[in-house]
Amino acid sequence: MHQPAGAMLQVDQVLAAVRRQYRIILFFGLLGAIIGMGHALTAVPWYSASTLLLIDGRKGNDPDPTASIAELQFDTGAIDSQVEVLKSERIIAAVIAKAGLADDPGFQRATGSLFGSMIGAVRQALDVRRWFGSEARSDAEARFAKERQLISTLAGNLTVKRVARTYVLSIEFSWPEASRAAEISRAFADAYLDDQLESKFDATRRATEWLFARIQELKTRALETDMAVQRFKSDNGLVKSGASGQLVGEQQLSELNSQLVIARGDTARAEARYQRIKSIIDSGQADAAVSEALGNPVIIDLRNKYLKASKTEAELSARLGRSHIQVISLRAEMREYERLIFDELGRIAESYKSEQEISRSREKALEENLSSLVGVNAGTNETLVGLRELEREADTYKNLYQTFLLRYQEAVQKQSFPITEARVITAASRPLAPSHPKKSLVVAFVTILGLGLGFGIGAVREFRDRVFRTGRQVRDELGLEFLGFLPAVSASQLRSMHPVSMGAASGPYPPVISQGVMRYSVGSPLSGFAEVLRSAKVAADITLGSHRPKIIGLVSVLPNEGKSTIAKNLASLVAHLGAHTLVIDADLRNPGLSRATAPDAARGLVEVLMDGVPFRELLLREGETGLDLLPAVGRRNLSHTGELISSAAMQALLQDAGQDYDYIFVDLPPVGPIVDVRAAARLFDAFVFVVEWGRTARHVVRSTLEHEQSVYEKTLGVVLNKANLAGVRLYEDYGSRDYYYGKYKKYYRDR
């Protein structure tokens, strides 16, 4: 339905669209339900069996190149990698061999629902390559194709996934046979464990072989580098001591250096002692002491005597005075003791001096020996650099050889005891109930899918609905007044009309008795049909005022839109209201009005216009309304109808008839394909435009009126004919007049 630019899609419009398309929606929903139930009833039940496999995630810090992936720390990527390993063709091929599926014809049969089989048959029938035949395949190609088909079948029915964020993998296999599904699920777990053991054994074996070859190479290199060191020593006279492993020259140099250090220390100590005792002697400090003096018995004895004499001298000086002869004698004695002490100290100083000289001589000798030895060893320094380089290379190869030998022994032990950290924690058991199809879910899903398809098709139908449905569309698209809906008249409504009045027609004109829908406005004067025609009369009276006669043409864009029926009913209604009314059938090529009301007429409008026959001689009269009818009799050789309708004779006819009639209604040909209306538009006071409801495209009517400005400007309004009044409410906006048509029906009477 047409929406103005920028208009918002309202809820009631959506609901109205759903109500308009409910048949399509329900049809596809029901079709989806039937298909879903058919699939659920014919589908082969599938059983799913699951085996849980634990991949131990313990961290392996040992950088062993032979360690399997199960010995490493598993992160998300590693677990996902194991999922792909379980789904690999290597594992699937192992399962096929382990379970003997290649030789099981029952396993290779196609399974599925009846619909799936039908689709497969159709696809096979539409395979263009089969139409032209194919070359015979060899046995190898046939086996290969069979193997690929088996692998594809198992891969399609296998589901491997990680359980939450654990190291547990779920191996789920689906198959129509419950026991077979459990067997194959367990076979996948066993094949994975065997593959892990085999891959670890192969990795260990390959590593062992590589290590063995590498050890032999390292062993040879270690021997060669060790022999190179020995030859270098022999060639350059480099001899090592057995205890320290150093070269003899280096050992001697080290020992002399150590002795020189000791000698220098001894010299320093001897000099320090000699200088100390010399300073004591020079200063005359009798009470000063050195270490040798403290341990000398002579000095100790003299010092004791000196102290004793000094004590006695002090006592006697205090009693007898310092001038007493005994005091003087004691002083002399004390001086003698001091002299003796210094004499003893002088002898000690001489011994210190002697030790000093000995230490200096020894130090000088060591320095001379060290200088000579350094001179000798200086020539071998460059040789020692080369020796050290050879020794480092030899040590490197020796360490590598020892390391690889150790790893080789470990690899040999692991090869003897292959293990894997993956293990089955829950083996698949025979499922008791099928896992799919979920019949209720399938039916619900396909039904919802069908409803969705119905909604989509309904939306497309709504989008492509380019016909007139509402009065608002008439006003928006054409800019004309909307006169109303003329409903499609049913057979029951026709039977309920007032019977035809059988009274004779007044005047000299032969009677015409209208039947069926051609007299519905008279037979049901209180119906909604008659009310719309009265609206058209009122629009003519308002627009044309007191003008007499009112010449009104009934037109449409396309044939069979019902303009002849409306022309006759409108004219009969106006005549029934007491106005002198004439209806002229001017559709000379297809006089449908005349065929319906005066099928026996032999002459008509053509004779009036071409032969000059007075029109009053050809008139027919409807007895019950007093309506006069000028029929038309079609002629096959009549090709200039446009000139006749727009001729001076037609103008004279209308002027002559205007003396006797208040209203003259003219049934004209369709505007679209025929030019008659365009040519004769100047002769008419107004037009009533008839459009078939739900049939005639809006753009056709709009473009026609845009090219027929003379008709457009005189058009009183538009009548939508053959309308489904029950459906009009679905197209009208909430609050519009026609939205409440059902409430107005109590004012209408179809009987």
Side-chain angles (χ1 to χ4, degrees):
M1 188 170 60
H2 175 75
Q3 291 287 334
M8 297 296 291
L9 187 64
Q10 300 178 359
V11 176
D12 57 343
Q13 293 175 335
V14 175
L15 295 178
V18 172
R19 290 196 296 271
R20 291 194 293 269
Q21 303 296 332
Y22 79 95
R23 292 184 179 88
I24 293 293
I25 296 173
L26 290 181
F27 171 76
F28 281 98
L30 181 61
L31 180 63
I34 293 174
I35 293 175
M37 287 187 291
H39 174 76
L41 294 175
T42 60
V44 176
W46 285 64
Y47 298 86
S48 297
S50 180
T51 298
L52 298 182
L53 189 68
L54 174 63
I55 308 295
D56 198 343
R58 292 179 297 177
K59 183 179 296 184
N61 294 322
D62 183 11
D64 184 1
T66 66
S68 68
I69 194 170
E71 295 179 292
L72 305 178
Q73 173 67 23
F74 279 88
D75 55 9
T76 301
I79 290 294
D80 293 339
S81 299
Q82 296 308 296
V83 172
E84 296 302 320
V85 170
L86 273 163
K87 295 191 295 184
S88 65
E89 291 190 3
R90 176 187 176 96
I91 300 298
I92 295 176
V95 171
I96 293 174
K98 186 179 184 66
L101 303 181
D103 301 326
D104 186 355
F107 186 83
Q108 302 176 39
R109 288 196 300 267
T111 58
S113 64
L114 177 61
F115 291 104
S117 301
M118 294 171 60
I119 293 174
V122 171
R123 185 179 300 172
Q124 186 175 5
L126 296 178
D127 188 358
V128 180
R129 293 176 297 179
R130 296 176 58 89
W131 298 353
F132 302 100
S134 59
E135 298 181 0
R137 294 186 298 182
S138 63
D139 293 341
E141 291 175 343
R143 287 193 300 270
F144 178 77
K146 178 180 177 181
E147 180 183 355
R148 299 307 302 175
Q149 180 63 32
L150 280 174
I151 291 176
S152 176
T153 301
L154 264 69
N157 297 326
L158 175 67
T159 302
V160 182
K161 60 184 178 180
R162 183 180 183 183
V163 179
R165 297 180 59 84
T166 65
Y167 294 127
V168 177
L169 299 181
S170 172
I171 308 173
E172 182 179 292
F173 188 79
S174 300
W175 197 250
E177 298 180 16
S179 58
R180 200 61 158 165
E183 176 187 355
I184 296 176
S185 177
R186 293 192 298 268
F188 267 101
D190 295 339
Y192 173 77
L193 296 178
D194 294 341
D195 181 75
Q196 287 290 293
L197 291 174
E198 185 66 24
S199 62
K200 182 177 180 181
F201 178 81
D202 291 342
T204 305
R205 178 179 53 79
R206 289 193 297 269
T208 302
E209 294 175 354
W210 180 84
L211 283 173
F212 182 78
R214 186 63 177 159
I215 285 172
Q216 298 301 318
E217 180 182 353
L218 290 174
K219 179 179 179 181
T220 302
R221 293 294 298 162
L223 291 175
E224 291 176 352
T225 53
D226 192 38
M227 290 299 297
V229 170
Q230 298 304 323
R231 284 195 299 270
F232 187 85
K233 288 181 180 179
S234 176
D235 295 342
N236 293 275
L238 301 177
V239 181
K240 288 186 177 181
S241 62
S244 63
Q246 290 182 330
L247 295 175
V248 174
E250 290 180 347
Q251 184 177 9
Q252 290 176 352
L253 185 62
S254 176
E255 291 176 355
L256 284 176
N257 191 46
S258 299
Q259 292 175 7
L260 179 60
V261 171
I262 294 172
R264 287 175 178 172
D266 294 343
T267 301
R269 282 195 300 274
E271 288 182 351
R273 286 190 300 179
Y274 174 72
Q275 293 298 330
R276 174 61 180 165
I277 197 169
K278 184 177 179 183
S279 65
I280 292 173
I281 294 173
D282 292 342
S283 63
Q285 297 177 2
D287 56 347
V290 294
S291 59
E292 285 76 3
L294 295 175
N296 192 317
V298 176
I299 294 177
I300 293 173
D301 181 60
L302 291 174
R303 189 178 298 277
N304 289 334
K305 290 178 179 180
Y306 176 83
L307 292 174
K308 183 178 180 182
S310 175
K311 181 179 181 182
T312 302
E313 186 271 340
E315 292 176 354
L316 290 178
S317 295
R319 284 187 304 157
L320 300 179
R322 294 183 59 83
S323 302
H324 192 274
I325 187 144
Q326 289 184 351
V327 173
I328 295 170
S329 176
L330 287 173
R331 288 177 183 164
E333 186 178 352
M334 290 174 58
R335 285 193 293 272
E336 182 64 19
Y337 287 150
E338 286 182 356
R339 185 186 65 78
L340 292 174
I341 290 173
F342 280 104
D343 288 343
E344 186 64 26
L345 288 175
R347 288 193 294 273
I348 294 174
E350 288 297 328
S351 65
Y352 282 176
K353 183 178 181 181
S354 176
E355 290 180 1
Q356 177 185 358
E357 292 176 353
I358 295 171
S359 296
R360 285 180 177 176
S361 299
R362 185 169 178 271
E363 181 182 350
K364 184 177 180 181
L366 289 173
E367 288 178 350
E368 293 175 353
N369 291 335
L370 183 61
S371 299
S372 61
L373 187 58
V374 169
V376 172
N377 289 334
T380 63
N381 286 337
E382 296 181 1
T383 305
L384 292 177
V385 172
L387 176 62
R388 292 192 185 95
E389 180 64 25
L390 291 174
E391 287 178 340
R392 282 194 295 270
E393 184 178 3
D395 292 340
T396 300
Y397 279 108
K398 181 174 65 176
N399 294 333
L400 285 174
Y401 173 70
Q402 292 175 350
T403 301
F404 272 78
L405 186 61
L406 178 61
R407 300 305 297 273
Y408 174 74
Q409 296 297 331
E410 294 176 356
V412 170
Q413 295 301 321
K414 289 183 179 181
Q415 186 176 0
S416 302
F417 300 98
I419 58 173
T420 178
E421 282 69 21
R423 57 192 176 92
V424 174
I425 58 176
T426 301
S429 59
R430 184 181 184 278
L432 300 178
S435 59
H436 58 280
K438 304 290 186 182
K439 296 184 178 180
S440 58
L441 292 179
V442 169
V443 173
F445 174 76
V446 180
T447 302
I448 293 173
L449 191 63
L451 290 174
L453 180 60
F455 272 105
I457 295 176
V460 172
R461 285 166 56 88
E462 286 290 315
F463 181 77
R464 292 181 57 84
D465 189 5
R466 296 292 189 266
V467 297
F468 284 100
R469 300 285 188 178
T470 66
R472 182 175 59 81
Q473 291 174 343
V474 172
R475 291 185 288 269
D476 292 344
E477 294 283 345
L478 305 179
L480 296 174
E481 183 63 30
F482 174 61
L483 299 179
F485 296 100
L486 286 176
V489 180
S490 64
S492 61
Q493 290 174 319
L494 294 177
R495 289 193 297 269
S496 66
M497 291 190 303
H498 291 297
V500 178
S501 175
M502 300 305 294
S506 61
Y509 308 126
V512 58
I513 300 177
S514 301
Q515 298 291 338
V517 71
M518 299 302 288
R519 62 176 296 275
Y520 188 70
S521 62
V522 178
S524 299
L526 297 180
S527 65
F529 187 96
E531 190 65 26
V532 173
L533 295 181
R534 278 191 285 270
S535 297
K537 176 185 179 299
V538 171
D541 292 340
I542 293 174
T543 303
L544 301 179
S546 59
H547 180 75
R548 184 178 181 277
K550 297 178 177 66
I551 304 174
I552 302 172
L554 278 297
V555 295
S556 65
V557 174
L558 302 176
N560 300 321
E561 293 195 74
K563 62 175 178 54
S564 298
T565 302
I566 295 174
K568 168 61 177 60
N569 279 278
L570 178 58
S572 296
L573 179 66
V574 174
H576 192 63
L577 293 175
H580 296 286
T581 307
L582 171 65
V583 60
I584 301 174
D585 188 356
D587 191 353
L588 302 180
R589 300 188 188 184
N590 184 26
L593 175 59
S594 299
R595 284 197 298 267
T597 57
D600 298 330
R603 295 184 301 170
L605 179 62
V606 176
E607 285 73 21
V608 173
L609 299 179
M610 295 183 64
D611 300 335
V613 178
F615 78 95
R616 289 180 179 84
E617 296 180 4
L618 305 179
L619 290 178
L620 304 176
R621 176 162 292 179
E622 188 176 45
E624 59 181 335
T625 62
L627 171 68
D628 290 338
L629 168 66
L630 180 58
V633 179
R635 295 182 180 180
R636 294 183 179 179
N637 58 350
L638 193 63
S639 60
H640 54 290
T641 57
E643 286 77 1
L644 288 177
I645 296 299
S646 62
S647 64
M650 183 67 180
Q651 184 176 6
L653 169 63
L654 294 176
Q655 291 176 354
D656 189 13
Q659 299 177 6
D660 300 331
Y661 298 100
D662 301 319
Y663 294 87
I664 300 176
F665 294 99
V666 181
D667 181 19
L668 294 169
V671 179
I674 311 298
V675 300
D676 296 8
V677 177
R678 184 190 311 172
R682 59 185 176 80
L683 303 178
F684 295 90
D685 298 322
F687 293 96
V688 174
F689 216 92
V690 179
V691 177
E692 185 174 359
W693 183 88
R695 290 288 183 180
T696 306
R698 297 198 293 265
H699 70 90
V700 173
V701 179
R702 183 173 62 250
S703 62
T704 300
L705 289 177
E706 287 176 354
H707 290 84
E708 304 292 344
Q709 286 294 323
S710 57
V711 177
Y712 177 77
E713 293 171 357
K714 293 183 178 181
T715 299
L716 297 175
V718 177
V719 175
L720 293 182
N721 191 28
K722 304 178 186 179
N724 179 9
L725 296 180
V728 167
R729 186 172 181 270
L730 300 178
Y731 291 94
E732 288 288 350
D733 292 337
Y734 179 79
S736 65
R737 183 188 67 178
D738 295 312
Y739 182 83
Y740 298 102
Y741 176 80
K743 297 183 180 296
Y744 300 141
K745 290 180 66 176
K746 64 181 65 176
Y747 290 93
Y748 302 143
R749 297 289 186 274
D750 290 333
R751 294 181 180 273

